């Protein structure tokens, strides 16, 4: 593997090599009570690819898996930078650390775009970039670094998800080659800019909401922002400056995730109209 310093991550992308293929079973994370599929192990030989991902790869369905998140890719060159920035966790920054299925060296968030279609190997597999990876708290525990997860989108090193357009088999050493680019303006890095950092740009939110190839998780976020902005415009045009009505909710379920984090599910409480 070439040193990351020798690789221009902004160089136009044409092809790369899948250095490693990894899958995992659900396991309890060390020090936690929750299970995760982040601890992926090396796989040798040909691995079947289905529309839902790699055979024998397991996910927490709450946040991962499904057609839009069938396969997770990550650029191994990022690990050198992470080691330099977090030397105390150096041993934990190695391929597979982010729970990726495909380890590649040159394709990364700066030179691949939402909607890009790739051929993999010689068995007909076609993949499409669907989403940036959304960092979650599990990365903090994975690398044993407090509040680490937000660094991944601040530095555009989140990784990305593929959806599967054509099934087949893959293995380490396969070439991954760009065959079609529909949205050249929208690299994964640029999508992250408006998804996570500059969230109030109405023009960009609307443009991104119209990208049909974007996975539902991100596209729905942009659509929600567009709807909110247009509603504000309508109220302003009508001279209606009244505050939006609040609904009352109550917690109906609590599920501990860690000693400090609890997932809460809320439900709206319908109220009978006041008596007149």
């Amino acid at each position: 593997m070439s040193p990351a310093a020798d690789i221009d991550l902004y160089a136009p992308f044409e092809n790369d090599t899948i250095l490693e293929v990894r899958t995992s079973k659900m396991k309890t994370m060390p020090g936690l009570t929750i299970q995760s599929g982040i601890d992926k192990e090396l796989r040798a030989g040909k691995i079947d690819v289905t529309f839902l991902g790699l055979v024998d790869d397991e996910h927490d369905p709450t946040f991962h898996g499904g057609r839009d998140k069938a396969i997770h890719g990550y650029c191994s060159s990022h690990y050198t930078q992470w080691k330099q920035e977090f030397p105390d966790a150096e041993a934990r920054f190695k391929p597979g650390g982010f729970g990726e299925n495909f380890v590649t060296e040159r394709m990364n968030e700066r030179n691949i775009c939402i909607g890009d279609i790739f051929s993999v190997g010689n068995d007909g597999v076609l993949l499409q970039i669907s989403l940036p990876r959304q960092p979650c708290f599990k990365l903090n525990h994975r690398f044993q670094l407090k509040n680490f997860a937000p660094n991944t989108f601040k530095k555009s090193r989140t990784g990305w998800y593929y959806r599967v357009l054509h099934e087949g088999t893959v293995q380490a050493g396969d070439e991954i080659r760009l065959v079609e680019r529909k949205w050249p303006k929208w690299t994964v890095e640029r999508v992250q800019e408006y998804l996570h950092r500059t969230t109030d740009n109405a023009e960009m939110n609307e443009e991104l909401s119209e990208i049909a190839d974007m996975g539902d998780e991100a596209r729905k976020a942009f659509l929600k922002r567009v709807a909110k902005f247009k509603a504000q415009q309508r109220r302003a045009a009508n001279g209606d400056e009244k505050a939006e009505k609040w609904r009352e909710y109550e917690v109906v379920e609590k599920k501990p995730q860690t000693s400090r984090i609890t997932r809460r599910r809320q439900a709206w409480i319908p109220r009978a109209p006041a008596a007149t």
Side-chain angles (χ1 to χ4, degrees):
M1 187 180 296
S2 304
D6 295 340
I7 297 173
D8 180 4
L9 296 181
Y10 287 92
F13 181 82
E14 293 183 2
N15 65 295
D16 204 347
T17 300
I18 296 179
L19 302 175
E20 297 178 0
V21 178
R22 291 175 170 267
T23 63
S24 66
K25 298 294 185 182
M26 292 290 287
K27 303 174 186 176
T28 301
M29 293 190 71
L32 302 177
T33 60
I34 59 172
Q35 290 197 322
S36 172
I38 197 171
D39 189 20
K40 300 197 182 297
E41 299 175 351
L42 277 171
R43 294 287 302 274
K46 293 185 177 181
I47 310 298
D48 288 326
V49 178
T50 75
F51 291 120
L52 294 179
L54 305 182
V55 168
D56 294 330
D57 190 39
E58 296 182 351
H59 317 272
D60 175 357
T62 308
F63 303 107
H64 305 285
R67 286 182 176 254
D68 283 347
K69 299 180 178 181
I71 297 173
H72 178 214
Y74 199 76
C75 176
S76 63
S77 299
H78 291 335
Y79 286 111
T80 299
Q81 296 168 295
W82 289 127
K83 289 177 181 180
Q84 293 170 352
E85 293 163 0
F86 297 94
D88 291 344
E90 179 179 0
R92 293 184 284 278
F93 286 114
K94 56 187 178 182
F98 276 74
E100 62 266 34
N101 298 113
F102 288 171
V103 178
T104 51
E105 190 175 41
R106 288 180 287 110
M107 68 185 305
N108 71 96
E109 298 83 352
R110 295 144 191 78
N111 61 16
I112 58 174
C113 302
I114 293 295
D116 279 359
I117 296 176
F118 302 90
S119 65
V120 184
N122 55 14
D123 194 34
V125 172
L126 286 178
L127 306 178
Q128 183 177 45
I129 302 294
S130 54
L131 287 165
R133 189 252 181 88
Q134 291 270 46
C136 71
F137 72 92
K138 293 176 185 176
L139 292 176
N140 302 335
H141 296 276
R142 177 73 162 166
F143 297 111
Q144 298 177 32
L145 292 169
K146 185 177 180 180
N147 298 325
F148 170 76
N151 288 285
T152 64
F153 64 77
K154 291 176 182 177
K155 298 175 183 292
S156 293
R157 300 181 207 150
T158 58
W160 56 91
Y161 285 109
Y162 302 96
R163 66 169 61 91
V164 177
L165 301 183
H166 194 279
E167 299 175 319
T169 60
V170 297
Q171 61 183 332
D174 277 349
E175 180 185 45
I176 181 165
R177 176 177 292 276
L178 178 66
V179 296
E180 184 177 356
R181 174 159 287 171
K182 299 181 179 182
W183 309 93
K185 180 178 178 180
W186 291 110
T187 62
V188 172
E189 179 181 46
R190 192 157 186 252
V191 171
Q192 288 172 328
E193 172 64 35
Y194 295 103
L195 185 61
H196 294 297
R197 298 189 287 266
T198 306
T199 61
D200 58 352
N201 187 311
E203 180 182 355
M204 293 297 99
N205 283 334
E206 183 155 14
E207 186 171 338
L208 283 157
S209 74
E210 295 172 353
I211 298 179
D213 292 319
M214 187 176 297
D216 283 348
E217 181 179 78
R219 194 178 185 198
K220 286 180 178 178
F222 291 120
L223 284 167
K224 185 176 180 180
R225 292 176 193 172
V226 170
K228 182 178 180 181
F229 176 72
K230 289 183 176 180
Q232 291 172 338
Q233 284 186 313
R234 287 193 297 270
R235 288 196 299 271
N238 294 332
D240 182 5
E241 300 298 333
K242 293 180 181 179
E244 295 183 5
K245 293 182 179 179
W246 287 79
R247 284 185 169 185
E248 293 187 37
Y249 289 80
E250 66 178 12
V251 176
V252 296
E253 181 184 15
K254 293 183 180 180
K255 186 175 182 181
Q257 298 291 291
T258 72
S259 60
R260 298 175 58 192
I261 298 175
T262 299
R263 185 191 304 166
R264 292 175 170 83
R265 185 165 66 86
Q266 297 176 315
W268 172 49
I269 309 171
R271 300 294 187 190
T276 58

